[in-house]
């Protein structure tokens, strides 16, 4: 269904500081003032109340980024597989085909990022790290060709994952690096997509993730830390892959994540008492399909069979009005600069907000013109559902690699 304007201003509630200003309340009020200006300007200038996703402008911004980046991106030299993933996923959400020559070039570049020790580094010749490994595998699965799948050295990848596994069930992000929930998710994601997931590799991992859920209901980076949207998504998605969601207090988690949607802006914050940020349109809203599925499996009678448990129209309104750069690309909030990271996760969150369920239960809730509708994204892997299925079916043709005793023992 295509939605009209959900009544700008009618349902919004501004921050009440009870006469006691703090640094965070002042910053929150500033953001609300800026967002109010955006909504007021839209209401004044668009009497038809039609919201428009600037598809062509976003497409050209992304297309340029695949081939050439300005020197401003030098700081992301150790995140080059991420740039491939953010751009390719944004293009697939916009239903823009990737030319064969470009896809092949990306495959060859990512092959150069693959380490002889297994896994992928942030660029050619760099040490392997679980974050760019996740991004590289996702990017190759989006391309989905034999060439793309052939890039991944599954045996070396499995050895690399074993080298990062810790006795308590957690994973290092890289050899000699830090432990947090991101690494468990990255490991589970790449292992499940490439058919190298084994009970031995993930022994104790689900229980370790469950210990990261804190009194707020969300999940922190490690046990005892503050709940955070990115870590919470990683923890829940990893548990979905491992089929262990029941280890969490799902009601408490639901209460925490739904409380992160901002009452005035409509977007999501990453933590309690923080500002709205467009990237959490996916990291937070993407949790709701996973929670819906877990609660449905428990037979929860209160669940809707048409909508997720957040205000889908309010999130779409925030993304379409506050997060689009006029020159193409998307951003954190008004006043911030566009980048490929926010373009990817704003569009991913928009897709989550537009599509409920799948198959016979699929329901579209699209704000604005029908052409705003994006392709659906898989809430666990954040690539197209059909790309997940293609990768899984491809790698199921091959057995889990057998390892020498030494790597497995490590």
């Amino acid at each position: 269904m295509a939605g009209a304007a959900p009544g700008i201003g009618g349902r919004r509630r501004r921050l009440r500081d009870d006469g006691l200003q703090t640094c965070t309340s002042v910053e929150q009020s500033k953001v609300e003032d800026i967002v109010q200006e955006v909504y007021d300007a839209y209401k004044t200038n668009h009497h038809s109340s039609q919201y428009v996703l600037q598809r062509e402008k976003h497409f050209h911004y992304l297309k340029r980024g695949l081939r050439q980046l300005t020197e401003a991106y030098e700081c992301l030299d150790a995140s080059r597989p991420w740039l491939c993933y953010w751009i390719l996923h944004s293009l697939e959400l916009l239903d823009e085909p990737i030319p064969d020559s470009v896809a092949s070039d990306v495959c060859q570049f990512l092959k150069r990022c693959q380490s002889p020790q297994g896994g992928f580094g942030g660029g050619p010749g760099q040490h392997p790290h679980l974050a760019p490994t996740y991004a590289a595998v996702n990017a190759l699965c989006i391309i989905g060709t034999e060439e793309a799948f052939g890039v991944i050295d599954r045996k070396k990848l499995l050895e690399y994952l074993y080298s990062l596994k810790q006795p308590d069930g957690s994973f290092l992000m890289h050899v000699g690096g830090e432990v947090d929930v991101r690494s468990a998710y990255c490991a589970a994601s790449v292992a499940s997509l490439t058919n190298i997931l084994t009970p031995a590799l993930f022994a104790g991992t689900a229980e370790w993730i469950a210990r990261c859920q804190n009194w707020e209901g969300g999940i922190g980076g490690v046990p005892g830390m503050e709940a955070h949207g990115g870590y919470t998504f990683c923890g829940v998605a990893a548990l979905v892959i491992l089929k262990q969601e029941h280890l969490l207090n799902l009601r408490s988690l639901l209460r925490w994540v739904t409380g992160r949607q901002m009452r005035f802006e409509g977007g999501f914050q990453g933590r309690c008492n923080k500002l709205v940020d467009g990237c959490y349109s996916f990291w937070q809203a993407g949790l709701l399909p996973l929670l819906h599925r877990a609660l449905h499996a428990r037979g929860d009678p209160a669940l809707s069979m048409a909508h997720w448990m957040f205000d889908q129209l309010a999130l779409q309104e925030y993304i379409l009005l506050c997060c689009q750069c006029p020159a193409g690309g998307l951003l954190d909030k008004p006043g911030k600069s566009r980048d490929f990271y926010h373009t990817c996760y704003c569009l991913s969150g928009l897709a989550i907000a537009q599509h409920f369920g799948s198959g016979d239960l699929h329901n579209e809730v699209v704000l604005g013109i029908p052409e705003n509708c994006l392709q659906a994204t898989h809430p666990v892997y954040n690539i197209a559902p059909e790309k997940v299925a293609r990768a899984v079916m491809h790698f199921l043709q091959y057995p889990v690699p057998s390892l020498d005793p030494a790597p497995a023992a490590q």
Side-chain angles (χ1 to χ4, degrees):
M1 114 181 155
I8 296 178
R11 67 179 194 289
R12 303 187 184 284
R13 288 186 288 169
R14 296 200 62 143
L15 173 73
R16 293 175 56 188
D17 62 13
D18 297 324
L20 180 64
Q21 288 190 340
T22 65
C23 292
T24 52
S25 71
V26 169
E27 290 302 311
Q28 175 62 29
S29 294
K30 286 180 183 177
V31 171
E32 290 180 3
D33 289 341
I34 295 170
V35 170
Q36 183 71 66
E37 289 176 11
V38 172
Y39 288 145
D40 287 347
Y42 179 81
K43 191 174 182 180
T44 301
N45 299 329
H46 296 77
H47 302 292
S48 62
S49 294
Q50 286 296 297
Y51 300 78
V52 178
L53 178 66
Q54 301 295 336
R55 284 178 166 273
E56 280 299 309
K57 292 179 179 179
H58 301 324
F59 167 64
H60 288 297
Y61 169 65
L62 293 161
K63 183 181 175 183
R64 285 195 305 271
L66 261 184
R67 285 297 191 189
Q68 188 172 12
L69 295 172
T70 66
E71 62 185 17
Y73 280 89
E74 185 179 4
C75 61
L76 292 178
D77 183 60
S79 300
R80 292 167 75 182
W82 279 109
L83 290 164
C84 294
Y85 164 61
W86 293 331
I87 294 172
L88 291 177
H89 181 50
S90 298
L91 289 171
E92 74 169 347
L93 289 171
L94 292 167
D95 200 21
E96 293 288 352
I98 302 163
D100 292 343
S101 60
V102 174
S104 184
D105 287 347
V106 171
C107 291
Q108 292 308 305
F109 170 72
L110 292 175
K111 188 173 184 178
R112 291 166 54 213
C113 296
Q114 190 165 215
S115 168
Q117 287 78 46
F120 293 78
Q126 296 184 25
H127 292 300
H129 189 290
L130 268 179
T133 296
Y134 165 86
V137 170
N138 265 12
L140 292 166
C141 289
I142 290 170
I143 293 171
T145 60
E146 289 292 329
E147 180 185 17
F149 293 143
V151 168
I152 303 168
D153 187 328
R154 295 168 62 244
K155 182 175 182 179
K156 287 293 185 181
L157 178 57
L158 183 55
E159 290 178 359
Y160 179 61
L161 295 181
Y162 267 113
S163 75
L164 302 176
K165 178 70 185 298
Q166 299 301 292
D168 63 359
S170 64
F171 286 81
L172 299 173
M173 285 300 293
H174 60 94
V175 174
E178 74 277 22
V179 162
D180 61 50
V181 171
R182 292 174 305 156
S183 53
Y185 167 60
C186 291
S189 178
V190 301
S192 57
L193 285 172
T194 61
N195 189 30
I196 59 172
L197 192 156
T198 66
L201 178 59
F202 288 94
T205 302
E207 291 77 10
W208 182 83
I209 294 172
R211 293 201 297 275
C212 295
Q213 185 175 27
N214 73 359
W215 60 270
E216 298 172 84
I219 293 174
V222 295
M225 295 295 288
E226 179 185 15
H228 181 283
Y231 290 130
T232 302
F233 174 84
C234 288
V236 175
L239 289 175
V240 169
I241 292 170
L242 299 175
K243 299 180 173 59
Q244 298 290 321
E245 310 98 295
H246 65 275
L247 295 178
L248 295 173
N249 183 332
L250 297 177
R251 291 278 180 178
S252 177
L253 175 57
L254 177 63
R255 186 165 54 248
W256 179 81
V257 67
T258 51
R260 303 283 70 76
Q261 187 168 20
M262 307 300 279
R263 294 179 298 178
F264 185 81
E265 302 93 308
F268 281 82
Q269 61 184 181
R271 290 179 282 163
C272 183
N273 214 32
K274 295 293 183 178
L275 302 176
V276 68
D277 186 332
C279 73
Y280 292 109
S281 302
F282 176 77
W283 297 123
Q284 299 284 32
L287 283 163
L288 276 303
L290 305 182
L291 278 169
H292 210 102
R293 174 183 177 276
L295 291 169
H296 183 264
R298 288 188 175 183
D300 192 314
L303 291 173
S304 167
M305 289 295 104
H307 302 281
W308 302 127
M309 290 177 283
F310 70 97
D311 191 331
Q312 293 167 244
L313 291 177
L315 178 58
Q316 292 182 56
E317 186 177 57
Y318 175 72
I319 294 170
L320 292 172
L321 293 190
C322 297
C323 296
Q324 293 195 88
C325 175
L330 290 96
L331 39 92
D332 165 353
K333 61 177 70 65
K336 298 289 187 177
S337 299
R338 66 182 179 176
D339 58 57
F340 295 111
Y341 168 82
H342 283 91
T343 299
C344 173
Y345 291 109
C346 284
L347 290 176
S348 300
L350 186 59
I352 292 288
Q354 291 175 344
H355 296 275
F356 172 86
S358 60
D360 293 339
L361 277 180
H362 183 241
N363 180 42
E364 289 182 358
V365 181
V366 179
L367 179 64
I369 60 174
E371 291 76 16
N372 288 349
C373 189
L374 296 170
Q375 296 298 299
T377 192
H378 195 295
V380 172
Y381 300 98
N382 201 24
I383 62 178
E386 61 271 19
K387 300 295 179 63
V388 174
R390 183 186 300 175
V392 169
M393 293 305 295
H394 172 85
F395 289 112
L396 278 175
Q397 300 175 81
Y398 307 99
V400 176
S402 58
L403 299 184
D404 298 330
Q410 291 171 12

PDB file of all heavy atoms in Angstrom, residues 47-71:
ATOM      1  N   HIS A  47       2.281  20.920  -1.183  1.00  0.00           N
ATOM      2  CA  HIS A  47       0.874  20.841  -0.804  1.00  0.00           C
ATOM      3  C   HIS A  47       0.275  19.470  -1.100  1.00  0.00           C
ATOM      4  O   HIS A  47      -0.700  19.056  -0.476  1.00  0.00           O
ATOM      5  CB  HIS A  47       0.077  21.943  -1.522  1.00  0.00           C
ATOM      6  CG  HIS A  47       0.584  23.315  -1.241  1.00  0.00           C
ATOM      7  ND1 HIS A  47       0.483  23.909   0.007  1.00  0.00           N
ATOM      8  CD2 HIS A  47       1.227  24.206  -2.028  1.00  0.00           C
ATOM      9  CE1 HIS A  47       1.015  25.119  -0.029  1.00  0.00           C
ATOM     10  NE2 HIS A  47       1.481  25.329  -1.254  1.00  0.00           N
ATOM     11  N   SER A  48       0.869  18.751  -2.055  1.00  0.00           N
ATOM     12  CA  SER A  48       0.344  17.431  -2.375  1.00  0.00           C
ATOM     13  C   SER A  48       0.815  16.376  -1.372  1.00  0.00           C
ATOM     14  O   SER A  48       0.355  15.248  -1.394  1.00  0.00           O
ATOM     15  CB  SER A  48       0.789  17.013  -3.782  1.00  0.00           C
ATOM     16  OG  SER A  48       2.208  16.923  -3.829  1.00  0.00           O
ATOM     17  N   SER A  49       1.738  16.750  -0.484  1.00  0.00           N
ATOM     18  CA  SER A  49       2.248  15.848   0.552  1.00  0.00           C
ATOM     19  C   SER A  49       2.791  14.551  -0.033  1.00  0.00           C
ATOM     20  O   SER A  49       2.532  13.473   0.481  1.00  0.00           O
ATOM     21  CB  SER A  49       1.151  15.533   1.592  1.00  0.00           C
ATOM     22  OG  SER A  49       0.822  16.691   2.287  1.00  0.00           O
ATOM     23  N   GLN A  50       3.530  14.662  -1.118  1.00  0.00           N
ATOM     24  CA  GLN A  50       4.143  13.486  -1.727  1.00  0.00           C
ATOM     25  C   GLN A  50       5.617  13.411  -1.359  1.00  0.00           C
ATOM     26  O   GLN A  50       6.374  14.345  -1.604  1.00  0.00           O
ATOM     27  CB  GLN A  50       3.988  13.512  -3.245  1.00  0.00           C
ATOM     28  CG  GLN A  50       2.583  13.188  -3.711  1.00  0.00           C
ATOM     29  CD  GLN A  50       2.167  11.765  -3.356  1.00  0.00           C
ATOM     30  OE1 GLN A  50       2.756  10.803  -3.823  1.00  0.00           O
ATOM     31  NE2 GLN A  50       1.142  11.640  -2.537  1.00  0.00           N
ATOM     32  N   TYR A  51       5.995  12.320  -0.769  1.00  0.00           N
ATOM     33  CA  TYR A  51       7.386  12.078  -0.398  1.00  0.00           C
ATOM     34  C   TYR A  51       8.059  11.342  -1.548  1.00  0.00           C
ATOM     35  O   TYR A  51       7.498  10.405  -2.106  1.00  0.00           O
ATOM     36  CB  TYR A  51       7.456  11.208   0.860  1.00  0.00           C
ATOM     37  CG  TYR A  51       6.782  11.813   2.071  1.00  0.00           C
ATOM     38  CD1 TYR A  51       5.398  11.780   2.212  1.00  0.00           C
ATOM     39  CD2 TYR A  51       7.538  12.400   3.076  1.00  0.00           C
ATOM     40  CE1 TYR A  51       4.780  12.320   3.323  1.00  0.00           C
ATOM     41  CE2 TYR A  51       6.932  12.940   4.198  1.00  0.00           C
ATOM     42  CZ  TYR A  51       5.548  12.906   4.321  1.00  0.00           C
ATOM     43  OH  TYR A  51       4.940  13.441   5.421  1.00  0.00           O
ATOM     44  N   VAL A  52       9.286  11.755  -1.869  1.00  0.00           N
ATOM     45  CA  VAL A  52       9.961  11.184  -3.039  1.00  0.00           C
ATOM     46  C   VAL A  52      11.366  10.720  -2.658  1.00  0.00           C
ATOM     47  O   VAL A  52      12.161  11.482  -2.110  1.00  0.00           O
ATOM     48  CB  VAL A  52      10.054  12.213  -4.192  1.00  0.00           C
ATOM     49  CG1 VAL A  52      10.805  11.601  -5.377  1.00  0.00           C
ATOM     50  CG2 VAL A  52       8.663  12.668  -4.610  1.00  0.00           C
ATOM     51  N   LEU A  53      11.666   9.462  -2.955  1.00  0.00           N
ATOM     52  CA  LEU A  53      13.022   8.943  -2.854  1.00  0.00           C
ATOM     53  C   LEU A  53      13.764   9.328  -4.124  1.00  0.00           C
ATOM     54  O   LEU A  53      13.339   8.970  -5.227  1.00  0.00           O
ATOM     55  CB  LEU A  53      12.998   7.421  -2.698  1.00  0.00           C
ATOM     56  CG  LEU A  53      14.363   6.723  -2.633  1.00  0.00           C
ATOM     57  CD1 LEU A  53      15.109   7.114  -1.370  1.00  0.00           C
ATOM     58  CD2 LEU A  53      14.193   5.213  -2.708  1.00  0.00           C
ATOM     59  N   GLN A  54      14.862  10.062  -3.980  1.00  0.00           N
ATOM     60  CA  GLN A  54      15.599  10.578  -5.146  1.00  0.00           C
ATOM     61  C   GLN A  54      16.477   9.475  -5.738  1.00  0.00           C
ATOM     62  O   GLN A  54      17.709   9.500  -5.667  1.00  0.00           O
ATOM     63  CB  GLN A  54      16.429  11.797  -4.735  1.00  0.00           C
ATOM     64  CG  GLN A  54      15.625  12.943  -4.165  1.00  0.00           C
ATOM     65  CD  GLN A  54      14.686  13.563  -5.196  1.00  0.00           C
ATOM     66  OE1 GLN A  54      14.914  13.463  -6.407  1.00  0.00           O
ATOM     67  NE2 GLN A  54      13.630  14.208  -4.721  1.00  0.00           N
ATOM     68  N   ARG A  55      15.847   8.520  -6.382  1.00  0.00           N
ATOM     69  CA  ARG A  55      16.526   7.328  -6.872  1.00  0.00           C
ATOM     70  C   ARG A  55      17.690   7.642  -7.805  1.00  0.00           C
ATOM     71  O   ARG A  55      18.797   7.115  -7.654  1.00  0.00           O
ATOM     72  CB  ARG A  55      15.531   6.427  -7.614  1.00  0.00           C
ATOM     73  CG  ARG A  55      14.601   5.638  -6.726  1.00  0.00           C
ATOM     74  CD  ARG A  55      13.628   4.835  -7.568  1.00  0.00           C
ATOM     75  NE  ARG A  55      12.942   3.832  -6.754  1.00  0.00           N
ATOM     76  CZ  ARG A  55      13.397   2.619  -6.510  1.00  0.00           C
ATOM     77  NH1 ARG A  55      14.557   2.242  -7.032  1.00  0.00           N
ATOM     78  NH2 ARG A  55      12.722   1.776  -5.766  1.00  0.00           N
ATOM     79  N   GLU A  56      17.426   8.472  -8.813  1.00  0.00           N
ATOM     80  CA  GLU A  56      18.451   8.738  -9.828  1.00  0.00           C
ATOM     81  C   GLU A  56      19.688   9.391  -9.218  1.00  0.00           C
ATOM     82  O   GLU A  56      20.823   9.040  -9.552  1.00  0.00           O
ATOM     83  CB  GLU A  56      17.873   9.626 -10.936  1.00  0.00           C
ATOM     84  CG  GLU A  56      17.047   8.875 -11.960  1.00  0.00           C
ATOM     85  CD  GLU A  56      17.871   7.809 -12.688  1.00  0.00           C
ATOM     86  OE1 GLU A  56      18.955   8.146 -13.193  1.00  0.00           O
ATOM     87  OE2 GLU A  56      17.416   6.655 -12.739  1.00  0.00           O
ATOM     88  N   LYS A  57      19.466  10.334  -8.322  1.00  0.00           N
ATOM     89  CA  LYS A  57      20.600  11.019  -7.708  1.00  0.00           C
ATOM     90  C   LYS A  57      21.415  10.054  -6.839  1.00  0.00           C
ATOM     91  O   LYS A  57      22.647  10.087  -6.845  1.00  0.00           O
ATOM     92  CB  LYS A  57      20.104  12.198  -6.870  1.00  0.00           C
ATOM     93  CG  LYS A  57      19.519  13.314  -7.717  1.00  0.00           C
ATOM     94  CD  LYS A  57      19.021  14.462  -6.857  1.00  0.00           C
ATOM     95  CE  LYS A  57      18.467  15.583  -7.732  1.00  0.00           C
ATOM     96  NZ  LYS A  57      17.946  16.709  -6.919  1.00  0.00           N
ATOM     97  N   HIS A  58      20.726   9.188  -6.104  1.00  0.00           N
ATOM     98  CA  HIS A  58      21.439   8.203  -5.280  1.00  0.00           C
ATOM     99  C   HIS A  58      22.206   7.224  -6.168  1.00  0.00           C
ATOM    100  O   HIS A  58      23.345   6.852  -5.867  1.00  0.00           O
ATOM    101  CB  HIS A  58      20.462   7.453  -4.381  1.00  0.00           C
ATOM    102  CG  HIS A  58      19.690   8.347  -3.453  1.00  0.00           C
ATOM    103  ND1 HIS A  58      20.235   9.466  -2.879  1.00  0.00           N
ATOM    104  CD2 HIS A  58      18.404   8.272  -3.007  1.00  0.00           C
ATOM    105  CE1 HIS A  58      19.320  10.057  -2.114  1.00  0.00           C
ATOM    106  NE2 HIS A  58      18.206   9.358  -2.186  1.00  0.00           N
ATOM    107  N   PHE A  59      21.591   6.818  -7.267  1.00  0.00           N
ATOM    108  CA  PHE A  59      22.233   5.875  -8.175  1.00  0.00           C
ATOM    109  C   PHE A  59      23.535   6.448  -8.728  1.00  0.00           C
ATOM    110  O   PHE A  59      24.576   5.778  -8.752  1.00  0.00           O
ATOM    111  CB  PHE A  59      21.279   5.507  -9.322  1.00  0.00           C
ATOM    112  CG  PHE A  59      21.943   4.789 -10.458  1.00  0.00           C
ATOM    113  CD1 PHE A  59      22.504   3.528 -10.273  1.00  0.00           C
ATOM    114  CD2 PHE A  59      22.030   5.370 -11.715  1.00  0.00           C
ATOM    115  CE1 PHE A  59      23.134   2.862 -11.319  1.00  0.00           C
ATOM    116  CE2 PHE A  59      22.656   4.709 -12.758  1.00  0.00           C
ATOM    117  CZ  PHE A  59      23.208   3.457 -12.561  1.00  0.00           C
ATOM    118  N   HIS A  60      23.506   7.697  -9.172  1.00  0.00           N
ATOM    119  CA  HIS A  60      24.709   8.294  -9.764  1.00  0.00           C
ATOM    120  C   HIS A  60      25.792   8.493  -8.707  1.00  0.00           C
ATOM    121  O   HIS A  60      26.988   8.307  -9.002  1.00  0.00           O
ATOM    122  CB  HIS A  60      24.349   9.607 -10.458  1.00  0.00           C
ATOM    123  CG  HIS A  60      23.575   9.419 -11.721  1.00  0.00           C
ATOM    124  ND1 HIS A  60      24.088   8.759 -12.819  1.00  0.00           N
ATOM    125  CD2 HIS A  60      22.309   9.781 -12.057  1.00  0.00           C
ATOM    126  CE1 HIS A  60      23.182   8.728 -13.791  1.00  0.00           C
ATOM    127  NE2 HIS A  60      22.098   9.346 -13.350  1.00  0.00           N
ATOM    128  N   TYR A  61      25.402   8.848  -7.488  1.00  0.00           N
ATOM    129  CA  TYR A  61      26.370   8.976  -6.390  1.00  0.00           C
ATOM    130  C   TYR A  61      27.052   7.635  -6.124  1.00  0.00           C
ATOM    131  O   TYR A  61      28.280   7.556  -5.992  1.00  0.00           O
ATOM    132  CB  TYR A  61      25.636   9.471  -5.142  1.00  0.00           C
ATOM    133  CG  TYR A  61      26.429   9.412  -3.863  1.00  0.00           C
ATOM    134  CD1 TYR A  61      27.565  10.190  -3.678  1.00  0.00           C
ATOM    135  CD2 TYR A  61      26.011   8.583  -2.822  1.00  0.00           C
ATOM    136  CE1 TYR A  61      28.276  10.141  -2.481  1.00  0.00           C
ATOM    137  CE2 TYR A  61      26.718   8.533  -1.625  1.00  0.00           C
ATOM    138  CZ  TYR A  61      27.851   9.316  -1.459  1.00  0.00           C
ATOM    139  OH  TYR A  61      28.547   9.254  -0.277  1.00  0.00           O
ATOM    140  N   LEU A  62      26.279   6.570  -6.090  1.00  0.00           N
ATOM    141  CA  LEU A  62      26.825   5.234  -5.819  1.00  0.00           C
ATOM    142  C   LEU A  62      27.671   4.732  -6.984  1.00  0.00           C
ATOM    143  O   LEU A  62      28.747   4.149  -6.787  1.00  0.00           O
ATOM    144  CB  LEU A  62      25.673   4.264  -5.539  1.00  0.00           C
ATOM    145  CG  LEU A  62      24.880   4.526  -4.261  1.00  0.00           C
ATOM    146  CD1 LEU A  62      23.523   3.836  -4.322  1.00  0.00           C
ATOM    147  CD2 LEU A  62      25.665   4.070  -3.037  1.00  0.00           C
ATOM    148  N   LYS A  63      27.192   4.954  -8.196  1.00  0.00           N
ATOM    149  CA  LYS A  63      27.914   4.481  -9.389  1.00  0.00           C
ATOM    150  C   LYS A  63      29.292   5.126  -9.463  1.00  0.00           C
ATOM    151  O   LYS A  63      30.291   4.448  -9.765  1.00  0.00           O
ATOM    152  CB  LYS A  63      27.080   4.815 -10.638  1.00  0.00           C
ATOM    153  CG  LYS A  63      27.686   4.323 -11.935  1.00  0.00           C
ATOM    154  CD  LYS A  63      26.791   4.733 -13.104  1.00  0.00           C
ATOM    155  CE  LYS A  63      27.427   4.350 -14.439  1.00  0.00           C
ATOM    156  NZ  LYS A  63      26.587   4.811 -15.589  1.00  0.00           N
ATOM    157  N   ARG A  64      29.386   6.416  -9.180  1.00  0.00           N
ATOM    158  CA  ARG A  64      30.677   7.105  -9.189  1.00  0.00           C
ATOM    159  C   ARG A  64      31.608   6.519  -8.129  1.00  0.00           C
ATOM    160  O   ARG A  64      32.802   6.343  -8.354  1.00  0.00           O
ATOM    161  CB  ARG A  64      30.493   8.602  -8.936  1.00  0.00           C
ATOM    162  CG  ARG A  64      29.938   9.384 -10.108  1.00  0.00           C
ATOM    163  CD  ARG A  64      30.139  10.879  -9.906  1.00  0.00           C
ATOM    164  NE  ARG A  64      29.581  11.349  -8.639  1.00  0.00           N
ATOM    165  CZ  ARG A  64      28.339  11.770  -8.477  1.00  0.00           C
ATOM    166  NH1 ARG A  64      27.503  11.759  -9.510  1.00  0.00           N
ATOM    167  NH2 ARG A  64      27.911  12.193  -7.303  1.00  0.00           N
ATOM    168  N   GLY A  65      31.039   6.201  -6.960  1.00  0.00           N
ATOM    169  CA  GLY A  65      31.853   5.723  -5.849  1.00  0.00           C
ATOM    170  C   GLY A  65      32.504   4.375  -6.099  1.00  0.00           C
ATOM    171  O   GLY A  65      33.562   4.084  -5.542  1.00  0.00           O
ATOM    172  N   LEU A  66      31.876   3.546  -6.930  1.00  0.00           N
ATOM    173  CA  LEU A  66      32.458   2.238  -7.221  1.00  0.00           C
ATOM    174  C   LEU A  66      33.746   2.357  -8.023  1.00  0.00           C
ATOM    175  O   LEU A  66      34.636   1.512  -7.923  1.00  0.00           O
ATOM    176  CB  LEU A  66      31.463   1.371  -7.999  1.00  0.00           C
ATOM    177  CG  LEU A  66      30.650   0.347  -7.219  1.00  0.00           C
ATOM    178  CD1 LEU A  66      29.811  -0.479  -8.173  1.00  0.00           C
ATOM    179  CD2 LEU A  66      31.516  -0.552  -6.354  1.00  0.00           C
ATOM    180  N   ARG A  67      33.842   3.398  -8.817  1.00  0.00           N
ATOM    181  CA  ARG A  67      34.987   3.540  -9.716  1.00  0.00           C
ATOM    182  C   ARG A  67      36.023   4.548  -9.222  1.00  0.00           C
ATOM    183  O   ARG A  67      37.216   4.399  -9.474  1.00  0.00           O
ATOM    184  CB  ARG A  67      34.511   3.963 -11.101  1.00  0.00           C
ATOM    185  CG  ARG A  67      33.851   2.855 -11.898  1.00  0.00           C
ATOM    186  CD  ARG A  67      34.839   1.744 -12.170  1.00  0.00           C
ATOM    187  NE  ARG A  67      34.346   0.770 -13.155  1.00  0.00           N
ATOM    188  CZ  ARG A  67      34.947  -0.363 -13.433  1.00  0.00           C
ATOM    189  NH1 ARG A  67      36.061  -0.706 -12.799  1.00  0.00           N
ATOM    190  NH2 ARG A  67      34.451  -1.194 -14.328  1.00  0.00           N
ATOM    191  N   GLN A  68      35.572   5.569  -8.520  1.00  0.00           N
ATOM    192  CA  GLN A  68      36.502   6.633  -8.146  1.00  0.00           C
ATOM    193  C   GLN A  68      36.038   7.288  -6.855  1.00  0.00           C
ATOM    194  O   GLN A  68      34.870   7.636  -6.700  1.00  0.00           O
ATOM    195  CB  GLN A  68      36.580   7.681  -9.263  1.00  0.00           C
ATOM    196  CG  GLN A  68      37.666   8.725  -9.044  1.00  0.00           C
ATOM    197  CD  GLN A  68      37.835   9.633 -10.257  1.00  0.00           C
ATOM    198  OE1 GLN A  68      37.006   9.629 -11.155  1.00  0.00           O
ATOM    199  NE2 GLN A  68      38.895  10.419 -10.278  1.00  0.00           N
ATOM    200  N   LEU A  69      36.986   7.465  -5.932  1.00  0.00           N
ATOM    201  CA  LEU A  69      36.706   8.130  -4.667  1.00  0.00           C
ATOM    202  C   LEU A  69      37.629   9.332  -4.511  1.00  0.00           C
ATOM    203  O   LEU A  69      38.770   9.320  -4.986  1.00  0.00           O
ATOM    204  CB  LEU A  69      36.906   7.173  -3.488  1.00  0.00           C
ATOM    205  CG  LEU A  69      35.958   5.982  -3.408  1.00  0.00           C
ATOM    206  CD1 LEU A  69      36.402   5.035  -2.298  1.00  0.00           C
ATOM    207  CD2 LEU A  69      34.527   6.448  -3.149  1.00  0.00           C
ATOM    208  N   THR A  70      37.160  10.356  -3.830  1.00  0.00           N
ATOM    209  CA  THR A  70      37.984  11.527  -3.582  1.00  0.00           C
ATOM    210  C   THR A  70      38.987  11.230  -2.471  1.00  0.00           C
ATOM    211  O   THR A  70      38.885  10.225  -1.756  1.00  0.00           O
ATOM    212  CB  THR A  70      37.116  12.725  -3.165  1.00  0.00           C
ATOM    213  OG1 THR A  70      36.507  12.438  -1.894  1.00  0.00           O
ATOM    214  CG2 THR A  70      36.015  12.987  -4.192  1.00  0.00           C
ATOM    215  N   GLU A  71      39.938  12.116  -2.298  1.00  0.00           N
ATOM    216  CA  GLU A  71      40.965  11.935  -1.266  1.00  0.00           C
ATOM    217  C   GLU A  71      40.378  11.964   0.141  1.00  0.00           C
ATOM    218  O   GLU A  71      41.012  11.515   1.089  1.00  0.00           O
ATOM    219  CB  GLU A  71      42.041  12.999  -1.406  1.00  0.00           C
ATOM    220  CG  GLU A  71      41.548  14.420  -1.223  1.00  0.00           C
ATOM    221  CD  GLU A  71      42.631  15.455  -1.493  1.00  0.00           C
ATOM    222  OE1 GLU A  71      43.657  15.108  -2.116  1.00  0.00           O
ATOM    223  OE2 GLU A  71      42.439  16.610  -1.077  1.00  0.00           O
TER     224      GLU A  71
END
